[in-house]
Amino acid sequence: MSAAVIDGKAFAAGLRQRVGVAAAAFAAQAGRKAGLAVVLVGEDPASAVYVRAKGKATLEAGMASFEHRLPAATSEAELLALIAQLNADPAVDGILVQLPLPAGIDEQAVIAAIAPDKDVDGFHIDNAGRLAVGQEGFVPCTPLGCLMLLQDALGDLSGKEAVVIGRSNIVGKPMAQLLLNANATVTIAHSRTADLPAVVRRADIVVAAVGRPEMIRGDWLKPGAVVIDVGINRLAPTDDAPKGRLVGDVAYDEAAGVAAAITPVPGGVGPMTIAVLLRNTLVAAYRHAGLQMEGDAL
Ligand code: NAD
């Protein structure tokens, strides 16, 4: 058996296209574009790449992009002052502060300062609480993207056994809440879980968000499971791959022999994150303008 490949790149392209259509409709109705502000503090090269990609995708979707690049020496008070300014700016519908922040800035204090109705990353405690009690709010982009891929692959998730490996606030926990809200039976596994292979073997749905290259082996999976691999790990350089190969948390070739469907790395979950960020920003814009989005394609 060879698993179907869940093409996150294609799904994300479709979502971005639908967001673009809806963004144009929003601009026509509201008389302004939806706007996303992205804040980068310091010069972390990976973060700079992400911020550039987010800005580019925002413009491509027909939305306004506001990039704020602050030096690494920026104080917490200066960053909080910028966030207060963005909270008050009616052209800004979404605010994303790229993490990690330099040492000396309290990430929790910064996230808490973002107005919850502009928190398109869904990291504010208000939005985390809304997700936990099943109220409408903003959901972190990566797990929401995973849910979209799962619903596309499986349809109704009711009664499915789902195992989420990883309990971070940005992936594992919100992923588990989303699956629970979709009526799956959810287990959260983590670094202290006893006999992880046995836990994973129960699952119809496996979501791996650990950050350990190829940790989940093919023989851990129940035949026919659907596997979502969130991990992005760069292996040591080799002659064939001088920059080092990118792999997920799942041993792909082994898993593809057992699973019914699986996301590749790269090209699976990764492209979904930005697409969902654009979607969340547009939803925020509609709410701010008091307008109703036509259809529910997003
Ligand atoms: P994290 O380090 O915050 O959390 C990792 C989790 O894995 C922890 O909850 C820990 O309990 C669990 N864990 C660690 N070792 C374990 C083990 N041996 N067995 C079982 N569980 C174990 O990481 P994160 O931010 O949740 O990210 C996880 C992975 O997803 C990383 O590879 C990251 O790069 C990737 N990621 C990808 C995207 C994307 O595709 N856009 C977004 C976010 C994160």
PDB file of all heavy atoms in Angstrom, residues 141-183:
ATOM      1  N   CYS A 141      -2.610  29.667  13.308  1.00  0.00           N
ATOM      2  CA  CYS A 141      -2.678  29.373  11.869  1.00  0.00           C
ATOM      3  C   CYS A 141      -2.257  27.942  11.523  1.00  0.00           C
ATOM      4  O   CYS A 141      -2.895  27.303  10.676  1.00  0.00           O
ATOM      5  CB  CYS A 141      -1.788  30.363  11.117  1.00  0.00           C
ATOM      6  SG  CYS A 141      -2.281  32.080  11.398  1.00  0.00           S
ATOM      7  N   THR A 142      -1.189  27.455  12.142  1.00  0.00           N
ATOM      8  CA  THR A 142      -0.698  26.127  11.748  1.00  0.00           C
ATOM      9  C   THR A 142      -1.708  25.026  12.090  1.00  0.00           C
ATOM     10  O   THR A 142      -2.085  24.238  11.213  1.00  0.00           O
ATOM     11  CB  THR A 142       0.690  25.858  12.367  1.00  0.00           C
ATOM     12  OG1 THR A 142       1.572  26.890  11.913  1.00  0.00           O
ATOM     13  CG2 THR A 142       1.233  24.503  11.964  1.00  0.00           C
ATOM     14  N   PRO A 143      -2.202  24.950  13.335  1.00  0.00           N
ATOM     15  CA  PRO A 143      -3.193  23.896  13.606  1.00  0.00           C
ATOM     16  C   PRO A 143      -4.493  24.071  12.824  1.00  0.00           C
ATOM     17  O   PRO A 143      -5.085  23.071  12.395  1.00  0.00           O
ATOM     18  CB  PRO A 143      -3.425  23.984  15.116  1.00  0.00           C
ATOM     19  CG  PRO A 143      -2.801  25.242  15.571  1.00  0.00           C
ATOM     20  CD  PRO A 143      -1.776  25.627  14.578  1.00  0.00           C
ATOM     21  N   LEU A 144      -4.928  25.312  12.600  1.00  0.00           N
ATOM     22  CA  LEU A 144      -6.148  25.485  11.800  1.00  0.00           C
ATOM     23  C   LEU A 144      -5.916  24.971  10.379  1.00  0.00           C
ATOM     24  O   LEU A 144      -6.794  24.327   9.786  1.00  0.00           O
ATOM     25  CB  LEU A 144      -6.596  26.957  11.796  1.00  0.00           C
ATOM     26  CG  LEU A 144      -7.901  27.260  11.059  1.00  0.00           C
ATOM     27  CD1 LEU A 144      -9.051  26.376  11.523  1.00  0.00           C
ATOM     28  CD2 LEU A 144      -8.283  28.746  11.218  1.00  0.00           C
ATOM     29  N   GLY A 145      -4.722  25.204   9.848  1.00  0.00           N
ATOM     30  CA  GLY A 145      -4.380  24.674   8.522  1.00  0.00           C
ATOM     31  C   GLY A 145      -4.404  23.152   8.527  1.00  0.00           C
ATOM     32  O   GLY A 145      -4.892  22.521   7.580  1.00  0.00           O
ATOM     33  N   CYS A 146      -3.902  22.545   9.597  1.00  0.00           N
ATOM     34  CA  CYS A 146      -3.923  21.067   9.705  1.00  0.00           C
ATOM     35  C   CYS A 146      -5.361  20.557   9.719  1.00  0.00           C
ATOM     36  O   CYS A 146      -5.673  19.548   9.084  1.00  0.00           O
ATOM     37  CB  CYS A 146      -3.226  20.616  10.980  1.00  0.00           C
ATOM     38  SG  CYS A 146      -1.458  20.937  11.021  1.00  0.00           S
ATOM     39  N   LEU A 147      -6.237  21.252  10.463  1.00  0.00           N
ATOM     40  CA  LEU A 147      -7.643  20.827  10.518  1.00  0.00           C
ATOM     41  C   LEU A 147      -8.274  20.885   9.127  1.00  0.00           C
ATOM     42  O   LEU A 147      -9.005  19.979   8.725  1.00  0.00           O
ATOM     43  CB  LEU A 147      -8.442  21.705  11.495  1.00  0.00           C
ATOM     44  CG  LEU A 147      -9.892  21.254  11.637  1.00  0.00           C
ATOM     45  CD1 LEU A 147      -9.989  20.043  12.563  1.00  0.00           C
ATOM     46  CD2 LEU A 147     -10.797  22.375  12.148  1.00  0.00           C
ATOM     47  N   MET A 148      -7.974  21.964   8.398  1.00  0.00           N
ATOM     48  CA  MET A 148      -8.527  22.086   7.038  1.00  0.00           C
ATOM     49  C   MET A 148      -8.082  20.905   6.169  1.00  0.00           C
ATOM     50  O   MET A 148      -8.886  20.326   5.426  1.00  0.00           O
ATOM     51  CB  MET A 148      -8.076  23.397   6.397  1.00  0.00           C
ATOM     52  CG  MET A 148      -8.700  24.632   6.999  1.00  0.00           C
ATOM     53  SD  MET A 148      -7.993  26.108   6.179  1.00  0.00           S
ATOM     54  CE  MET A 148      -8.841  27.403   7.072  1.00  0.00           C
ATOM     55  N   LEU A 149      -6.798  20.539   6.267  1.00  0.00           N
ATOM     56  CA  LEU A 149      -6.298  19.407   5.457  1.00  0.00           C
ATOM     57  C   LEU A 149      -6.975  18.108   5.870  1.00  0.00           C
ATOM     58  O   LEU A 149      -7.336  17.290   5.023  1.00  0.00           O
ATOM     59  CB  LEU A 149      -4.774  19.277   5.608  1.00  0.00           C
ATOM     60  CG  LEU A 149      -3.920  20.419   5.047  1.00  0.00           C
ATOM     61  CD1 LEU A 149      -2.437  20.135   5.295  1.00  0.00           C
ATOM     62  CD2 LEU A 149      -4.169  20.619   3.553  1.00  0.00           C
ATOM     63  N   LEU A 150      -7.172  17.934   7.178  1.00  0.00           N
ATOM     64  CA  LEU A 150      -7.818  16.710   7.659  1.00  0.00           C
ATOM     65  C   LEU A 150      -9.264  16.630   7.194  1.00  0.00           C
ATOM     66  O   LEU A 150      -9.733  15.573   6.760  1.00  0.00           O
ATOM     67  CB  LEU A 150      -7.773  16.666   9.192  1.00  0.00           C
ATOM     68  CG  LEU A 150      -6.446  16.195   9.784  1.00  0.00           C
ATOM     69  CD1 LEU A 150      -6.408  16.449  11.279  1.00  0.00           C
ATOM     70  CD2 LEU A 150      -6.234  14.700   9.496  1.00  0.00           C
ATOM     71  N   GLN A 151      -9.980  17.754   7.286  1.00  0.00           N
ATOM     72  CA  GLN A 151     -11.392  17.724   6.870  1.00  0.00           C
ATOM     73  C   GLN A 151     -11.499  17.519   5.364  1.00  0.00           C
ATOM     74  O   GLN A 151     -12.416  16.859   4.891  1.00  0.00           O
ATOM     75  CB  GLN A 151     -12.090  19.004   7.338  1.00  0.00           C
ATOM     76  CG  GLN A 151     -12.308  18.959   8.854  1.00  0.00           C
ATOM     77  CD  GLN A 151     -12.947  20.192   9.426  1.00  0.00           C
ATOM     78  OE1 GLN A 151     -12.698  21.297   8.950  1.00  0.00           O
ATOM     79  NE2 GLN A 151     -13.753  20.025  10.468  1.00  0.00           N
ATOM     80  N   ASP A 152     -10.527  18.054   4.642  1.00  0.00           N
ATOM     81  CA  ASP A 152     -10.528  17.853   3.190  1.00  0.00           C
ATOM     82  C   ASP A 152     -10.279  16.373   2.858  1.00  0.00           C
ATOM     83  O   ASP A 152     -10.910  15.817   1.960  1.00  0.00           O
ATOM     84  CB  ASP A 152      -9.453  18.735   2.556  1.00  0.00           C
ATOM     85  CG  ASP A 152      -9.525  18.720   1.043  1.00  0.00           C
ATOM     86  OD1 ASP A 152     -10.607  19.026   0.505  1.00  0.00           O
ATOM     87  OD2 ASP A 152      -8.513  18.376   0.399  1.00  0.00           O
ATOM     88  N   ALA A 153      -9.377  15.741   3.621  1.00  0.00           N
ATOM     89  CA  ALA A 153      -9.029  14.339   3.336  1.00  0.00           C
ATOM     90  C   ALA A 153     -10.093  13.370   3.845  1.00  0.00           C
ATOM     91  O   ALA A 153     -10.351  12.339   3.216  1.00  0.00           O
ATOM     92  CB  ALA A 153      -7.677  13.995   3.976  1.00  0.00           C
ATOM     93  N   LEU A 154     -10.703  13.693   4.991  1.00  0.00           N
ATOM     94  CA  LEU A 154     -11.555  12.707   5.669  1.00  0.00           C
ATOM     95  C   LEU A 154     -13.018  13.098   5.755  1.00  0.00           C
ATOM     96  O   LEU A 154     -13.853  12.268   6.119  1.00  0.00           O
ATOM     97  CB  LEU A 154     -11.048  12.500   7.112  1.00  0.00           C
ATOM     98  CG  LEU A 154      -9.775  11.687   7.278  1.00  0.00           C
ATOM     99  CD1 LEU A 154      -9.266  11.795   8.709  1.00  0.00           C
ATOM    100  CD2 LEU A 154     -10.031  10.230   6.921  1.00  0.00           C
ATOM    101  N   GLY A 155     -13.336  14.359   5.489  1.00  0.00           N
ATOM    102  CA  GLY A 155     -14.719  14.799   5.712  1.00  0.00           C
ATOM    103  C   GLY A 155     -14.973  14.927   7.201  1.00  0.00           C
ATOM    104  O   GLY A 155     -14.165  15.496   7.937  1.00  0.00           O
ATOM    105  N   ASP A 156     -16.059  14.306   7.668  1.00  0.00           N
ATOM    106  CA  ASP A 156     -16.448  14.393   9.075  1.00  0.00           C
ATOM    107  C   ASP A 156     -15.430  13.659   9.965  1.00  0.00           C
ATOM    108  O   ASP A 156     -15.061  12.520   9.677  1.00  0.00           O
ATOM    109  CB  ASP A 156     -17.838  13.742   9.202  1.00  0.00           C
ATOM    110  CG  ASP A 156     -18.426  13.897  10.588  1.00  0.00           C
ATOM    111  OD1 ASP A 156     -17.853  14.648  11.395  1.00  0.00           O
ATOM    112  OD2 ASP A 156     -19.459  13.254  10.846  1.00  0.00           O
ATOM    113  N   LEU A 157     -14.999  14.315  11.035  1.00  0.00           N
ATOM    114  CA  LEU A 157     -14.005  13.703  11.926  1.00  0.00           C
ATOM    115  C   LEU A 157     -14.649  13.072  13.171  1.00  0.00           C
ATOM    116  O   LEU A 157     -13.945  12.537  14.028  1.00  0.00           O
ATOM    117  CB  LEU A 157     -12.964  14.753  12.360  1.00  0.00           C
ATOM    118  CG  LEU A 157     -12.270  15.528  11.236  1.00  0.00           C
ATOM    119  CD1 LEU A 157     -11.215  16.471  11.818  1.00  0.00           C
ATOM    120  CD2 LEU A 157     -11.616  14.587  10.216  1.00  0.00           C
ATOM    121  N   SER A 158     -15.971  13.122  13.243  1.00  0.00           N
ATOM    122  CA  SER A 158     -16.685  12.602  14.420  1.00  0.00           C
ATOM    123  C   SER A 158     -16.285  11.177  14.743  1.00  0.00           C
ATOM    124  O   SER A 158     -16.304  10.310  13.855  1.00  0.00           O
ATOM    125  CB  SER A 158     -18.199  12.560  14.168  1.00  0.00           C
ATOM    126  OG  SER A 158     -18.709  13.820  14.092  1.00  0.00           O
ATOM    127  N   GLY A 159     -15.955  10.962  16.015  1.00  0.00           N
ATOM    128  CA  GLY A 159     -15.701   9.605  16.488  1.00  0.00           C
ATOM    129  C   GLY A 159     -14.342   9.045  16.106  1.00  0.00           C
ATOM    130  O   GLY A 159     -13.996   7.936  16.514  1.00  0.00           O
ATOM    131  N   LYS A 160     -13.544   9.804  15.332  1.00  0.00           N
ATOM    132  CA  LYS A 160     -12.208   9.309  14.969  1.00  0.00           C
ATOM    133  C   LYS A 160     -11.300   9.377  16.193  1.00  0.00           C
ATOM    134  O   LYS A 160     -11.403  10.296  17.005  1.00  0.00           O
ATOM    135  CB  LYS A 160     -11.587  10.180  13.863  1.00  0.00           C
ATOM    136  CG  LYS A 160     -12.444  10.287  12.612  1.00  0.00           C
ATOM    137  CD  LYS A 160     -12.134   9.173  11.647  1.00  0.00           C
ATOM    138  CE  LYS A 160     -12.872   9.386  10.343  1.00  0.00           C
ATOM    139  NZ  LYS A 160     -13.247   8.112   9.721  1.00  0.00           N
ATOM    140  N   GLU A 161     -10.399   8.415  16.290  1.00  0.00           N
ATOM    141  CA  GLU A 161      -9.368   8.453  17.343  1.00  0.00           C
ATOM    142  C   GLU A 161      -8.219   9.318  16.826  1.00  0.00           C
ATOM    143  O   GLU A 161      -7.581   8.976  15.825  1.00  0.00           O
ATOM    144  CB  GLU A 161      -8.805   7.041  17.583  1.00  0.00           C
ATOM    145  CG  GLU A 161      -9.675   6.144  18.398  1.00  0.00           C
ATOM    146  CD  GLU A 161      -9.494   6.346  19.917  1.00  0.00           C
ATOM    147  OE1 GLU A 161      -8.568   7.072  20.341  1.00  0.00           O
ATOM    148  OE2 GLU A 161     -10.305   5.764  20.654  1.00  0.00           O
ATOM    149  N   ALA A 162      -7.967  10.440  17.488  1.00  0.00           N
ATOM    150  CA  ALA A 162      -6.886  11.331  17.062  1.00  0.00           C
ATOM    151  C   ALA A 162      -5.815  11.375  18.139  1.00  0.00           C
ATOM    152  O   ALA A 162      -6.119  11.518  19.319  1.00  0.00           O
ATOM    153  CB  ALA A 162      -7.431  12.729  16.807  1.00  0.00           C
ATOM    154  N   VAL A 163      -4.562  11.248  17.727  1.00  0.00           N
ATOM    155  CA  VAL A 163      -3.448  11.407  18.667  1.00  0.00           C
ATOM    156  C   VAL A 163      -2.593  12.575  18.181  1.00  0.00           C
ATOM    157  O   VAL A 163      -2.110  12.581  17.046  1.00  0.00           O
ATOM    158  CB  VAL A 163      -2.603  10.116  18.772  1.00  0.00           C
ATOM    159  CG1 VAL A 163      -1.338  10.369  19.590  1.00  0.00           C
ATOM    160  CG2 VAL A 163      -3.431   9.000  19.405  1.00  0.00           C
ATOM    161  N   VAL A 164      -2.469  13.581  19.040  1.00  0.00           N
ATOM    162  CA  VAL A 164      -1.623  14.738  18.753  1.00  0.00           C
ATOM    163  C   VAL A 164      -0.345  14.550  19.560  1.00  0.00           C
ATOM    164  O   VAL A 164      -0.410  14.384  20.784  1.00  0.00           O
ATOM    165  CB  VAL A 164      -2.322  16.052  19.181  1.00  0.00           C
ATOM    166  CG1 VAL A 164      -1.420  17.252  18.922  1.00  0.00           C
ATOM    167  CG2 VAL A 164      -3.661  16.202  18.458  1.00  0.00           C
ATOM    168  N   ILE A 165       0.797  14.566  18.876  1.00  0.00           N
ATOM    169  CA  ILE A 165       2.058  14.402  19.605  1.00  0.00           C
ATOM    170  C   ILE A 165       2.714  15.772  19.703  1.00  0.00           C
ATOM    171  O   ILE A 165       3.066  16.382  18.689  1.00  0.00           O
ATOM    172  CB  ILE A 165       2.994  13.400  18.895  1.00  0.00           C
ATOM    173  CG1 ILE A 165       2.206  12.154  18.478  1.00  0.00           C
ATOM    174  CG2 ILE A 165       4.152  13.011  19.817  1.00  0.00           C
ATOM    175  CD1 ILE A 165       2.960  11.299  17.477  1.00  0.00           C
ATOM    176  N   GLY A 166       2.830  16.272  20.922  1.00  0.00           N
ATOM    177  CA  GLY A 166       3.329  17.639  21.177  1.00  0.00           C
ATOM    178  C   GLY A 166       2.241  18.440  21.857  1.00  0.00           C
ATOM    179  O   GLY A 166       1.056  18.295  21.533  1.00  0.00           O
ATOM    180  N   ARG A 167       2.629  19.260  22.849  1.00  0.00           N
ATOM    181  CA  ARG A 167       1.640  20.004  23.632  1.00  0.00           C
ATOM    182  C   ARG A 167       1.993  21.481  23.710  1.00  0.00           C
ATOM    183  O   ARG A 167       1.763  22.136  24.724  1.00  0.00           O
ATOM    184  CB  ARG A 167       1.529  19.403  25.029  1.00  0.00           C
ATOM    185  CG  ARG A 167       2.855  19.363  25.759  1.00  0.00           C
ATOM    186  CD  ARG A 167       2.705  18.898  27.195  1.00  0.00           C
ATOM    187  NE  ARG A 167       3.987  18.434  27.707  1.00  0.00           N
ATOM    188  CZ  ARG A 167       4.149  17.851  28.886  1.00  0.00           C
ATOM    189  NH1 ARG A 167       3.121  17.662  29.668  1.00  0.00           N
ATOM    190  NH2 ARG A 167       5.346  17.475  29.286  1.00  0.00           N
ATOM    191  N   SER A 168       2.612  22.022  22.657  1.00  0.00           N
ATOM    192  CA  SER A 168       2.946  23.452  22.687  1.00  0.00           C
ATOM    193  C   SER A 168       1.672  24.280  22.576  1.00  0.00           C
ATOM    194  O   SER A 168       0.644  23.808  22.076  1.00  0.00           O
ATOM    195  CB  SER A 168       3.903  23.811  21.541  1.00  0.00           C
ATOM    196  OG  SER A 168       3.215  23.785  20.315  1.00  0.00           O
ATOM    197  N   ASN A 169       1.781  25.538  23.027  1.00  0.00           N
ATOM    198  CA  ASN A 169       0.619  26.435  22.949  1.00  0.00           C
ATOM    199  C   ASN A 169       0.315  26.856  21.521  1.00  0.00           C
ATOM    200  O   ASN A 169      -0.800  27.294  21.235  1.00  0.00           O
ATOM    201  CB  ASN A 169       0.868  27.688  23.803  1.00  0.00           C
ATOM    202  CG  ASN A 169       0.810  27.366  25.280  1.00  0.00           C
ATOM    203  OD1 ASN A 169       0.184  26.388  25.685  1.00  0.00           O
ATOM    204  ND2 ASN A 169       1.474  28.180  26.074  1.00  0.00           N
ATOM    205  N   ILE A 170       1.314  26.762  20.626  1.00  0.00           N
ATOM    206  CA  ILE A 170       1.048  27.245  19.263  1.00  0.00           C
ATOM    207  C   ILE A 170       0.634  26.139  18.307  1.00  0.00           C
ATOM    208  O   ILE A 170       0.024  26.407  17.283  1.00  0.00           O
ATOM    209  CB  ILE A 170       2.227  28.071  18.684  1.00  0.00           C
ATOM    210  CG1 ILE A 170       3.477  27.227  18.563  1.00  0.00           C
ATOM    211  CG2 ILE A 170       2.502  29.292  19.516  1.00  0.00           C
ATOM    212  CD1 ILE A 170       4.530  27.936  17.713  1.00  0.00           C
ATOM    213  N   VAL A 171       0.952  24.896  18.624  1.00  0.00           N
ATOM    214  CA  VAL A 171       0.535  23.806  17.718  1.00  0.00           C
ATOM    215  C   VAL A 171      -0.269  22.725  18.467  1.00  0.00           C
ATOM    216  O   VAL A 171      -1.462  22.542  18.222  1.00  0.00           O
ATOM    217  CB  VAL A 171       1.732  23.153  16.976  1.00  0.00           C
ATOM    218  CG1 VAL A 171       1.182  22.183  15.921  1.00  0.00           C
ATOM    219  CG2 VAL A 171       2.619  24.181  16.308  1.00  0.00           C
ATOM    220  N   GLY A 172       0.384  22.001  19.368  1.00  0.00           N
ATOM    221  CA  GLY A 172      -0.230  20.801  19.946  1.00  0.00           C
ATOM    222  C   GLY A 172      -1.555  21.061  20.648  1.00  0.00           C
ATOM    223  O   GLY A 172      -2.571  20.423  20.346  1.00  0.00           O
ATOM    224  N   LYS A 173      -1.541  22.007  21.615  1.00  0.00           N
ATOM    225  CA  LYS A 173      -2.776  22.236  22.381  1.00  0.00           C
ATOM    226  C   LYS A 173      -3.926  22.750  21.522  1.00  0.00           C
ATOM    227  O   LYS A 173      -5.032  22.189  21.584  1.00  0.00           O
ATOM    228  CB  LYS A 173      -2.516  23.189  23.545  1.00  0.00           C
ATOM    229  CG  LYS A 173      -1.898  22.499  24.747  1.00  0.00           C
ATOM    230  CD  LYS A 173      -1.801  23.491  25.902  1.00  0.00           C
ATOM    231  CE  LYS A 173      -0.663  23.128  26.827  1.00  0.00           C
ATOM    232  NZ  LYS A 173      -0.181  24.276  27.580  1.00  0.00           N
ATOM    233  N   PRO A 174      -3.714  23.803  20.701  1.00  0.00           N
ATOM    234  CA  PRO A 174      -4.860  24.230  19.874  1.00  0.00           C
ATOM    235  C   PRO A 174      -5.301  23.166  18.870  1.00  0.00           C
ATOM    236  O   PRO A 174      -6.487  23.056  18.560  1.00  0.00           O
ATOM    237  CB  PRO A 174      -4.354  25.505  19.172  1.00  0.00           C
ATOM    238  CG  PRO A 174      -2.882  25.562  19.393  1.00  0.00           C
ATOM    239  CD  PRO A 174      -2.582  24.737  20.604  1.00  0.00           C
ATOM    240  N   MET A 175      -4.350  22.351  18.391  1.00  0.00           N
ATOM    241  CA  MET A 175      -4.729  21.257  17.475  1.00  0.00           C
ATOM    242  C   MET A 175      -5.689  20.300  18.178  1.00  0.00           C
ATOM    243  O   MET A 175      -6.702  19.879  17.610  1.00  0.00           O
ATOM    244  CB  MET A 175      -3.453  20.512  17.044  1.00  0.00           C
ATOM    245  CG  MET A 175      -3.694  19.456  15.997  1.00  0.00           C
ATOM    246  SD  MET A 175      -4.005  20.202  14.396  1.00  0.00           S
ATOM    247  CE  MET A 175      -5.656  19.694  14.052  1.00  0.00           C
ATOM    248  N   ALA A 176      -5.354  19.952  19.422  1.00  0.00           N
ATOM    249  CA  ALA A 176      -6.210  19.028  20.181  1.00  0.00           C
ATOM    250  C   ALA A 176      -7.593  19.644  20.395  1.00  0.00           C
ATOM    251  O   ALA A 176      -8.616  18.956  20.270  1.00  0.00           O
ATOM    252  CB  ALA A 176      -5.543  18.699  21.520  1.00  0.00           C
ATOM    253  N   GLN A 177      -7.635  20.948  20.704  1.00  0.00           N
ATOM    254  CA  GLN A 177      -8.936  21.612  20.914  1.00  0.00           C
ATOM    255  C   GLN A 177      -9.768  21.592  19.630  1.00  0.00           C
ATOM    256  O   GLN A 177     -10.989  21.361  19.668  1.00  0.00           O
ATOM    257  CB  GLN A 177      -8.731  23.086  21.320  1.00  0.00           C
ATOM    258  CG  GLN A 177      -7.946  23.276  22.598  1.00  0.00           C
ATOM    259  CD  GLN A 177      -8.793  23.024  23.832  1.00  0.00           C
ATOM    260  OE1 GLN A 177      -9.932  22.600  23.715  1.00  0.00           O
ATOM    261  NE2 GLN A 177      -8.221  23.258  24.998  1.00  0.00           N
ATOM    262  N   LEU A 178      -9.120  21.849  18.507  1.00  0.00           N
ATOM    263  CA  LEU A 178      -9.848  21.850  17.230  1.00  0.00           C
ATOM    264  C   LEU A 178     -10.423  20.467  16.927  1.00  0.00           C
ATOM    265  O   LEU A 178     -11.567  20.344  16.474  1.00  0.00           O
ATOM    266  CB  LEU A 178      -8.909  22.277  16.089  1.00  0.00           C
ATOM    267  CG  LEU A 178      -8.602  23.763  16.002  1.00  0.00           C
ATOM    268  CD1 LEU A 178      -7.439  23.998  15.030  1.00  0.00           C
ATOM    269  CD2 LEU A 178      -9.832  24.552  15.544  1.00  0.00           C
ATOM    270  N   LEU A 179      -9.621  19.446  17.171  1.00  0.00           N
ATOM    271  CA  LEU A 179     -10.089  18.082  16.902  1.00  0.00           C
ATOM    272  C   LEU A 179     -11.232  17.707  17.838  1.00  0.00           C
ATOM    273  O   LEU A 179     -12.194  17.056  17.435  1.00  0.00           O
ATOM    274  CB  LEU A 179      -8.922  17.090  17.041  1.00  0.00           C
ATOM    275  CG  LEU A 179      -7.890  17.162  15.911  1.00  0.00           C
ATOM    276  CD1 LEU A 179      -6.595  16.483  16.318  1.00  0.00           C
ATOM    277  CD2 LEU A 179      -8.453  16.519  14.636  1.00  0.00           C
ATOM    278  N   LEU A 180     -11.118  18.156  19.082  1.00  0.00           N
ATOM    279  CA  LEU A 180     -12.193  17.906  20.057  1.00  0.00           C
ATOM    280  C   LEU A 180     -13.474  18.606  19.616  1.00  0.00           C
ATOM    281  O   LEU A 180     -14.562  18.020  19.643  1.00  0.00           O
ATOM    282  CB  LEU A 180     -11.721  18.429  21.417  1.00  0.00           C
ATOM    283  CG  LEU A 180     -12.532  18.078  22.642  1.00  0.00           C
ATOM    284  CD1 LEU A 180     -12.618  16.567  22.828  1.00  0.00           C
ATOM    285  CD2 LEU A 180     -11.858  18.713  23.875  1.00  0.00           C
ATOM    286  N   ASN A 181     -13.335  19.868  19.189  1.00  0.00           N
ATOM    287  CA  ASN A 181     -14.511  20.616  18.718  1.00  0.00           C
ATOM    288  C   ASN A 181     -15.126  19.966  17.480  1.00  0.00           C
ATOM    289  O   ASN A 181     -16.317  20.141  17.207  1.00  0.00           O
ATOM    290  CB  ASN A 181     -14.148  22.076  18.419  1.00  0.00           C
ATOM    291  CG  ASN A 181     -13.834  22.859  19.686  1.00  0.00           C
ATOM    292  OD1 ASN A 181     -14.127  22.394  20.788  1.00  0.00           O
ATOM    293  ND2 ASN A 181     -13.229  24.024  19.554  1.00  0.00           N
ATOM    294  N   ALA A 182     -14.289  19.215  16.725  1.00  0.00           N
ATOM    295  CA  ALA A 182     -14.794  18.499  15.546  1.00  0.00           C
ATOM    296  C   ALA A 182     -15.267  17.086  15.918  1.00  0.00           C
ATOM    297  O   ALA A 182     -15.486  16.254  15.042  1.00  0.00           O
ATOM    298  CB  ALA A 182     -13.712  18.431  14.472  1.00  0.00           C
ATOM    299  N   ASN A 183     -15.393  16.832  17.242  1.00  0.00           N
ATOM    300  CA  ASN A 183     -15.953  15.569  17.757  1.00  0.00           C
ATOM    301  C   ASN A 183     -15.070  14.342  17.576  1.00  0.00           C
ATOM    302  O   ASN A 183     -15.562  13.211  17.549  1.00  0.00           O
ATOM    303  CB  ASN A 183     -17.341  15.299  17.152  1.00  0.00           C
ATOM    304  CG  ASN A 183     -18.311  16.412  17.479  1.00  0.00           C
ATOM    305  OD1 ASN A 183     -18.366  16.855  18.624  1.00  0.00           O
ATOM    306  ND2 ASN A 183     -19.034  16.896  16.486  1.00  0.00           N
TER     307      ASN A 183
END
